[in-house]
Amino acid sequence: MAAYLQWRRFVFFDKELVKEPLGNDGAAPTAAPASGPAVSKFLCLPPGITVCDSGRGSLVFGDMEGQIWFLPRSLQLTGFQAYKLRVTHLYQLKQHNILASVGEDEEGINPLVKIWNLEKRDGGNPLCTRIFPAIPGTEPTVVSCLTVHENLNFMAIGFTDGSVTLNKGDITRDRHSKTQILHKGNYPVTGLAFRQAGKTTHLFVVTTENVQSYIVSGKDYPRVELDTHGCGLRCSALSDPSQDLQFIVAGDECVYLYQPDERGPCFAFEGHKLIAHWFRGYLVIVSRDRKVSPKSEFTSRDSQSSDKQILNIYDLCNKFIAYSAVFEDVVDVLAEWGSLYVLTRDGRVHALQEKDTQTKLEMLFKKNLFEMAINLAKSQHLDSDGLAQIFMQYGDHLYSKGNHDGAVQQYIRTIGKLEPSYVIRKFLDAQRIHNLTAYLQTLHRQSLANADHTTLLLNCYTKLKDSSKLEEFIKDILGMMMSASWWVRLEHTLLLRFTSAQNYQEALRYIGKLPFEQAESNMKRYGKILMHHIPEQTTQLLKGLCTDYRPSLEGRGDRETLGCRANSEEFIPIFANNPRELKAFLEHMSEVQPDSPQGIYDTLLELRLQNWAHEKDPQVKEKLHAEAISLLKSGRFCDVFDKALVLCQMHDFQDGVLYLYEQGKLFQQIMHYHVQHEQYRQVVAVCERHGEQEPCLWEQALSYFARKEEDCKEYVAAVLKHIENKNLMPPLLVVQTLAHNSTATLSVIRDYLVQKLQKQSQQIAQDELRVRRYREETTRIRQEIQELKASPKIFQKTKCSICNSALELPSVHFLCGHSFHQHCFESYSESDADCPTCLPENRKVMDMIRAQEQKRDLHDQFQHQLKCSSDSFSVIADYFGRGVFNKLTLLTDPPAARLTASLEAGLQRDLLMHSRRGT
């Protein structure tokens, strides 16, 4: 048992009252009073809140009037009538937008469970997908708690008579769900929680006197009795994976943690517990001090009107209290949007926002609580650099206190992050030589020591007169030292050979005999010197080193036969003053090794463009032009499009620029290029090639030709022909555009205008014909509807409309005129009220009606389309057809007006779908 009396208290949370967003009083959200800036009021929830939950970005409340309220992050409170009397329980799933509720629609003990799909709407409210009685039998009892599994296949309901029902199957549908009594007892059920471990699902059940668990994913539902201690309502919770998904039961004496098969640790948190909640690794407990008049564990929180209560937030891993505060009459504690929200009886909402990790660490540093800071940083998953900084500060603190042994242990934990010289300077004193030795030994064990550290460690062993450790250390590094001395002699040999101008060839051959790593490092070091004196041979060695390097094996046996490959991009600086060799090297790498680094291709492109720009011979320049274009078309510049474009622009390589524009779909830039160079035919050609992807090119071309004072009738005619075919511009805008050109006479656009007017005349004639046909159809349907309402319908069909056989009794007849055998109708019908033959067409009509109703409120979209459209009348006609301008029937309208509006709406539906089932 862990007592919390010795736990330190901190203020790791900031508390503030939630305020209403500006503008809730009817003013604009940004409006401010004349006397000063806008002041937000404190948010106040509706009265009579009985139950709360959170999830999916909202706080959810139920009240005594049967309403369910949603408070999203925007703090715009919305609600709907869920029950006729009251809401008693809510459970909002975290992974699905599904809400389960328990409430009452009538007086007496008859609670109903309703499942709401919050993503779908039914008349403006969430869609209720399932309703069923909470009580499985006939004996009346009160629901005490509710929980739902996140996979939507389990729901458990606890009752005050000690029973628990389990709904197994799809909880959102009646026919896929099965309800059974899982548990019966003598004590009221106060808490339920599902726990998923692999494929096994456990259900924890806690009453006022005991705790047990069931395996509900099997058939027999084996039960395990975990403890004989229980808790009150809302005093149990399930932890997160940081506490191994343990079930938490907050009793008055202790808080117990349970696994599905055994009891875990317990914590002696005193006080009468009212609420237990788990939040991001913290245990949140709302309790009342025992000095206040006691209540029964199962007593409602409404029994006392005003009550001072204590909220404590415990960090069970690091064993401290992260926050503690006194509240008055807490209704519930919710977690959402990364914060805690405390609801009080006066309707206020208090937000508890956790401080960031760095702020919490600084608070611990000020109190010299470094061990606690380290544990906190690890639990918050701080990176290794942040931990090293804490270790350093802890080491500095211990060093300043004279605890050198403890300090060096902390400094050792910073190895690899902290500069070793920072620590070494602190322990150079002879009295602390053993601390320095410990640090240097660890530095060597982690292979992070250099030659100076090795020399210093040897001196430490000598001063400590520790001959055994000195001998052991020398034996460990002897082989390494011999190997290092061999390579030092090799480097000296190379340096001596480089000093003589007659030995560059021999030095290059010598490097070619070295192992790959040594050959690579020496070429990076001496490559520029060798390239300056023997460029061709050096280039050949670099080609081999970057493709398939195999050392020359003269006199060395077969020690190394596997080919290795260096990064060719790293050797480009060696060719700084040798462009000819650089070109040969880059072309070799691009041919032999197509997956060479991007830098190879970037440099090769830049080199070819430079050569092309400076070449004077036309034939050679044409060849270089083809090489540059070929490289651009190789597909190696898709990811570095901007870089290739800049290179082409720097060297005025226009064909490359146009190619890259086209590859990047920058058609506006291609048009701009040809316009700048007054290339009329190319302007039209660009429009013909890319006008389908970007129709505005034709409008720009027309505007361009309209501003030219030269005779461009041929090009204007070509552009106008395409604009007419694609209907890209209104005729009036075409005339206004061409009015800028003094050479553009009426003859230029005469054919365009004539054809446009002819098409519009044809369209008008077609529309008038369609209108006349619709009117005749409407008149016919009205007459048919009137006959159906006023005259009897005689069914004279002798054959079934499905099987085409002679009709036999029993049969089914519809007012639309179709008749069916009863067995044919039952086999093929999807609904008892719809004719199977007319149903597909009726469904299309109903879909059109629903689409029109959903699109009536699209004011912003309508305004935007009206501004952007070139044909405003067609936009207005479209929205008129959707019913945007229909008269709305308000609740304030007189009854007669509402009746008339409803009759008109019914008539519209009858006009669209007039086939209904008869009797």
Side-chain angles (χ1 to χ4, degrees):
M1 179 179 294
Y4 85 106
L5 296 177
Q6 299 176 351
W7 286 17
R8 288 183 174 268
R9 295 175 182 266
F10 300 99
V11 184
F12 284 169
F13 285 77
D14 294 322
K15 171 187 171 185
E16 65 175 350
L17 272 170
V18 177
K19 298 179 181 180
E20 289 184 353
L22 295 178
N24 275 10
D25 55 355
T30 57
S35 59
V39 178
S40 296
K41 300 177 182 179
F42 292 122
L43 180 68
C44 189
L45 297 177
I49 296 294
T50 58
V51 63
C52 314
D53 203 357
S54 63
R56 305 297 294 180
S58 293
L59 306 182
V60 189
F61 313 104
D63 64 14
M64 293 293 294
E65 302 297 329
Q67 286 194 313
I68 294 179
W69 300 90
F70 297 93
L71 186 67
R73 195 160 193 172
S74 62
L75 303 182
Q76 300 291 340
L77 191 66
T78 59
F80 70 98
Q81 192 74 33
Y83 294 89
K84 296 179 181 179
L85 293 184
R86 63 187 65 87
V87 183
T88 60
H89 295 81
L90 291 174
Y91 192 93
Q92 172 66 59
L93 278 81
K94 306 301 184 288
Q95 299 177 14
H96 304 274
N97 215 357
I98 299 294
L99 174 68
S101 65
V102 179
E104 299 174 5
D105 277 343
E106 58 186 13
E107 293 294 344
I109 303 177
N110 187 24
L112 292 177
V113 179
K114 296 185 180 182
I115 308 299
W116 308 90
N117 188 334
L118 303 182
E119 291 181 348
K120 298 182 179 180
R121 293 284 159 180
D122 181 13
N125 297 331
L127 176 65
C128 183
T129 63
R130 184 184 179 194
I131 304 176
F132 63 95
I135 303 173
T138 58
E139 297 182 5
T141 182
V142 177
V143 175
S144 58
C145 51
L146 166 73
T147 187
V148 182
H149 198 289
E150 289 293 335
N151 63 9
L152 298 178
N153 286 326
F154 298 98
M155 179 169 61
I157 304 174
F159 299 91
T160 56
D161 65 354
S163 62
V164 176
T165 62
L166 177 68
N167 286 264
K168 194 171 183 180
D170 188 351
I171 67 165
T172 63
R173 299 183 181 180
D174 284 318
R175 57 182 173 181
H176 296 297
S177 181
K178 180 181 179 182
T179 303
Q180 53 191 316
I181 298 177
L182 176 69
H183 170 82
K184 287 186 177 181
N186 299 321
Y187 306 106
V189 178
T190 57
L192 299 167
F194 286 107
R195 181 185 188 271
Q196 190 70 37
K199 296 183 179 180
T200 304
T201 305
H202 294 90
L203 174 64
F204 289 102
V205 179
V206 58
T207 69
T208 55
E209 299 296 333
N210 52 41
V211 183
Q212 48 257 315
S213 71
Y214 291 85
I215 298 178
V216 296
S217 53
K219 294 183 178 180
D220 298 331
Y221 308 136
R223 171 178 169 273
V224 177
E225 184 80 23
L226 297 176
D227 211 337
T228 57
H229 299 282
C231 67
L233 281 173
R234 303 189 303 157
C235 291
S236 61
L238 191 70
S239 69
D240 59 21
S242 67
Q243 281 291 334
D244 198 22
L245 295 175
Q246 297 185 90
F247 186 58
I248 300 170
V249 175
D252 285 352
E253 300 296 334
C254 295
V255 174
Y256 301 92
L257 276 66
Y258 298 93
Q259 294 284 357
D261 54 354
E262 63 180 354
R263 193 177 85 177
C266 65
F267 300 88
F269 301 150
E270 295 183 354
H272 179 64
K273 311 299 187 303
L274 302 176
I275 297 173
H277 193 84
W278 189 263
F279 171 69
R280 296 171 66 176
Y282 294 109
L283 175 62
V284 183
I285 296 289
V286 178
S287 60
R288 190 178 60 252
D289 192 82
R290 287 188 176 276
K291 296 178 182 179
V292 183
S293 59
K295 294 182 186 178
S296 168
E297 288 176 326
F298 208 75
T299 304
S300 169
R301 58 183 179 274
D302 296 331
S303 59
Q304 294 187 2
S305 59
S306 180
D307 193 4
K308 296 285 187 181
Q309 296 158 358
I310 302 173
L311 181 142
N312 288 320
I313 302 178
Y314 300 96
D315 188 328
L316 301 185
C317 292
N318 300 313
K319 293 183 171 53
F320 62 78
I321 301 175
Y323 184 77
S324 182
V326 176
F327 290 88
E328 186 170 337
D329 212 355
V330 175
V331 175
D332 209 339
V333 179
L334 303 175
E336 194 64 27
W337 314 310
S339 301
L340 277 173
Y341 293 88
V342 182
L343 281 63
T344 53
R345 184 63 57 192
D346 57 3
R348 304 292 189 186
V349 181
H350 304 260
L352 300 180
Q353 178 68 44
E354 186 179 5
K355 299 179 186 292
D356 62 85
T357 302
Q358 191 59 41
T359 302
K360 292 188 286 187
L361 291 176
E362 290 175 358
M363 295 171 65
L364 295 175
F365 294 157
K366 291 179 181 178
K367 299 181 179 182
N368 295 325
L369 300 175
F370 291 98
E371 286 290 352
M372 189 171 289
I374 292 170
N375 295 333
L376 176 64
K378 290 181 178 178
S379 66
Q380 299 284 331
H381 305 291
L382 199 66
D383 59 17
S384 57
D385 292 334
L387 283 171
Q389 188 67 23
I390 299 175
F391 295 144
M392 185 194 74
Q393 294 188 43
Y394 191 17
D396 292 344
H397 171 71
L398 294 175
Y399 185 88
S400 64
K401 297 294 184 181
N403 185 359
H404 301 126
D405 293 339
V408 78
Q409 293 304 317
Q410 299 304 319
Y411 289 136
I412 285 174
R413 299 167 80 176
T414 67
I415 290 178
K417 301 294 181 182
L418 182 64
E419 178 61 37
S421 60
Y422 177 84
V423 181
I424 292 172
R425 282 195 298 268
K426 288 180 176 290
F427 295 100
L428 282 176
D429 187 13
Q431 296 179 353
R432 307 187 192 107
I433 197 69
H434 63 282
N435 299 128
L436 180 59
T437 303
Y439 180 80
L440 292 172
Q441 285 176 338
T442 308
L443 202 63
H444 279 80
R445 278 196 292 269
Q446 297 186 17
S447 302
L448 296 174
N450 57 28
D452 294 333
H453 299 149
T454 303
T455 303
L456 186 57
L457 182 57
L458 290 172
N459 291 334
C460 290
Y461 284 141
T462 302
K463 289 186 178 181
L464 291 173
K465 299 180 180 180
D466 193 342
S467 58
S468 60
K469 287 189 176 180
L470 180 60
E471 291 176 2
E472 181 183 355
F473 180 70
I474 291 175
K475 288 180 181 178
D476 290 340
I477 66 171
L478 184 58
M480 182 174 59
M481 290 178 63
M482 291 179 62
S483 177
S485 64
W486 186 83
W487 287 117
V488 168
R489 288 199 303 273
L490 172 61
E491 290 188 7
H492 281 301
T493 302
L494 288 173
L495 287 173
L496 289 172
R497 293 180 177 186
F498 283 148
T499 56
S500 175
Q502 290 80 11
N503 288 326
Y504 291 119
Q505 295 280 1
E506 184 179 350
L508 193 63
R509 284 196 299 271
Y510 198 86
I511 292 176
K513 298 177 183 179
L514 298 178
F516 171 74
E517 292 81 4
Q518 297 300 321
E520 182 184 22
S521 62
N522 280 287
M523 284 305 296
K524 289 179 180 178
R525 183 174 302 176
Y526 307 117
K528 288 186 178 180
I529 300 175
L530 294 170
M531 183 63 66
H532 177 70
H533 293 280
I534 45 174
E536 293 183 2
Q537 296 88 332
T538 305
T539 302
Q540 288 301 320
L541 179 58
L542 288 175
K543 288 180 181 179
L545 190 64
C546 296
T547 51
D548 188 19
Y549 177 74
R550 298 175 186 273
S552 175
L553 303 178
E554 298 177 10
R556 297 178 59 188
D558 295 332
R559 288 194 303 169
E560 191 172 348
T561 57
L562 294 176
C564 300
R565 188 170 69 183
N567 186 352
S568 54
E569 189 175 1
E570 296 177 355
F571 295 99
I572 291 178
I574 293 176
F575 298 91
N577 299 315
N578 299 79
R580 184 170 62 86
E581 285 74 16
L582 175 60
K583 182 181 179 183
F585 174 74
L586 296 175
E587 290 178 344
H588 172 80
M589 294 307 303
S590 63
E591 294 172 2
V592 177
Q593 187 180 320
D595 61 341
S596 295
Q598 184 61 41
I600 293 293
Y601 291 92
D602 294 344
T603 308
L604 180 58
L605 176 62
E606 185 175 4
L607 191 62
R608 286 183 176 178
L609 291 177
Q610 286 178 354
N611 294 339
W612 173 84
H614 295 93
E615 183 59 49
K616 303 299 182 182
D617 187 342
Q619 294 183 349
V620 177
K621 194 177 185 70
E622 183 62 27
K623 180 182 178 182
L624 293 174
H625 178 280
E627 291 178 353
I629 288 293
S630 174
L631 183 58
L632 285 173
K633 293 182 178 180
S634 65
R636 295 294 309 186
F637 299 93
C638 298
D639 296 332
V640 289
F641 169 83
D642 294 339
K643 188 173 183 179
L645 184 59
V646 169
L647 288 174
C648 291
Q649 289 174 339
M650 285 174 55
H651 297 89
D652 198 23
F653 190 59
Q654 295 301 332
D655 289 347
V657 171
L658 291 175
Y659 172 77
L660 291 173
Y661 280 161
E662 188 168 356
Q663 293 302 305
K665 301 187 184 303
L666 303 177
F667 307 131
Q668 299 279 354
Q669 282 78 356
I670 299 177
M671 170 77 80
H672 181 67
Y673 172 82
H674 292 306
V675 165
Q676 279 187 325
H677 292 79
E678 296 188 349
Q679 298 171 344
Y680 300 160
R681 293 191 181 277
Q682 283 77 0
V683 169
V684 177
V686 169
C687 294
E688 291 174 346
R689 283 199 307 271
H690 309 298
E692 292 290 337
Q693 298 170 274
E694 203 159 342
C696 65
L697 292 176
W698 290 102
E699 300 176 23
Q700 295 176 7
L702 182 64
S703 179
Y704 167 66
F705 290 129
R707 289 182 172 84
K708 301 300 291 182
E709 292 302 325
E710 304 172 16
D711 188 2
C712 301
K713 293 182 180 180
E714 175 187 354
Y715 306 108
V716 171
V719 173
L720 281 177
K721 181 178 180 182
H722 193 89
I723 289 176
E724 178 194 353
N725 292 336
K726 298 296 182 179
N727 195 23
L728 299 178
M729 296 174 65
L732 182 59
L733 184 59
V734 171
V735 174
Q736 291 176 347
T737 302
L738 291 176
H740 297 288
N741 192 331
S742 60
T743 63
T745 60
L746 183 61
S747 60
V748 177
I749 59 173
R750 180 182 58 192
D751 295 339
Y752 165 77
L753 292 176
V754 169
Q755 293 177 6
K756 196 71 177 177
L757 292 173
Q758 289 176 349
K759 287 184 178 180
Q760 290 184 351
S761 299
Q762 294 173 1
Q763 184 64 40
I764 291 171
Q766 293 175 1
D767 292 342
E768 289 177 347
L769 179 62
R770 191 179 295 111
V771 168
R772 188 162 53 252
R773 187 169 63 251
Y774 285 163
R775 284 177 176 171
E776 294 173 355
E777 180 71 14
T778 301
T779 302
R780 185 187 63 78
I781 293 175
R782 286 179 185 272
Q783 293 175 354
E784 186 175 346
I785 292 173
Q786 187 60 34
E787 290 177 0
L788 291 174
K789 289 181 178 180
S791 304
K793 176 71 175 180
I794 300 175
F795 300 103
Q796 296 179 335
K797 289 206 67 172
T798 60
K799 292 186 178 182
C800 175
S801 298
I802 291 179
C803 66
N804 209 26
S805 300
L807 277 177
E808 298 176 354
L809 294 178
S811 58
V812 180
H813 303 276
F814 285 87
L815 292 177
C816 60
H818 295 110
S819 301
F820 308 92
H821 292 119
Q822 184 172 352
H823 60 85
C824 290
F825 174 73
E826 292 174 351
S827 301
Y828 289 92
S829 66
E830 298 182 14
S831 170
D832 292 342
D834 296 312
C835 171
T837 303
C838 299
L839 181 60
E841 188 63 29
N842 292 348
R843 185 173 292 159
K844 292 180 182 178
V845 174
M846 291 304 298
D847 290 341
M848 291 169 58
I849 294 173
R850 279 193 291 268
Q852 289 178 356
E853 291 176 350
Q854 291 174 358
K855 294 179 180 178
R856 283 184 181 179
D857 247 349
L858 304 180
H859 176 73
D860 293 339
Q861 183 178 347
F862 169 71
Q863 292 291 344
H864 177 72
Q865 291 187 5
L866 195 61
K867 291 180 180 178
C868 299
S869 175
S870 58
D871 188 358
S872 303
F873 183 78
S874 62
V875 175
I876 295 174
D878 179 39
Y879 275 82
F880 190 91
R882 298 183 189 178
V884 173
F885 304 108
N886 286 4
K887 179 182 181 299
L888 296 177
T889 303
L890 303 178
L891 295 176
T892 56
D893 288 346
R898 291 202 298 270
L899 179 60
T900 303
S902 63
L903 290 174
E904 291 179 356
L907 182 59
Q908 288 182 3
R909 290 176 179 271
D910 290 340
L911 288 173
L912 289 170
M913 185 182 70
H914 55 86
S915 298
R916 301 287 301 274
R917 180 184 175 183
T919 56

